Amino acid sequence: WVQMFDHIQAAESVARRLGDQRRLARTVALMASHNLAMGRYDEALTLGQEALSIGLSLGDRAVEVLADNRWACETLVQS
């Protein structure tokens, strides 16, 4: 898990530097899932909301669905 998260964080950094919002949204959604699995619910929720926000701003339904599903899971776990 640790190595995977390191790679995801590197991908996030590259996406931010390049201004690639679609890749950033997908990467942030993956980071949200990882944090959820690790029990870091506040961080997971924040990342899930960021991914959803980016997806909505792009009008990218695939990103919206991916982020929305993750955000919903995070919200349920916290309840």
Side-chain angles (χ1 to χ4, degrees):
W1 280 98
V2 173
Q3 282 183 328
M4 181 181 76
F5 195 67
D6 289 344
H7 291 295
I8 294 169
Q9 283 183 312
E12 177 209 14
S13 178
V14 169
R16 286 190 193 280
R17 243 181 324 176
L18 295 174
D20 188 336
Q21 294 298 296
R22 281 188 174 74
R23 282 193 175 90
L24 178 61
R26 291 172 191 267
T27 303
V28 172
L30 286 171
M31 291 172 66
S33 292
H34 182 271
N35 278 286
L36 179 64
M38 300 304 290
R40 294 189 292 252
Y41 304 123
D42 290 337
E43 183 69 14
L45 187 58
T46 299
L47 290 163
Q49 289 171 329
E50 180 183 0
L52 181 57
S53 176
I54 295 168
L56 289 169
S57 73
L58 294 172
D60 186 329
R61 292 294 297 154
V63 170
E64 288 176 43
V65 169
L66 175 68
D68 199 34
N69 283 338
R70 296 217 178 8
W71 186 75
C73 289
E74 293 146 14
T75 302
L76 287 172
V77 168
Q78 281 193 324
S79 302

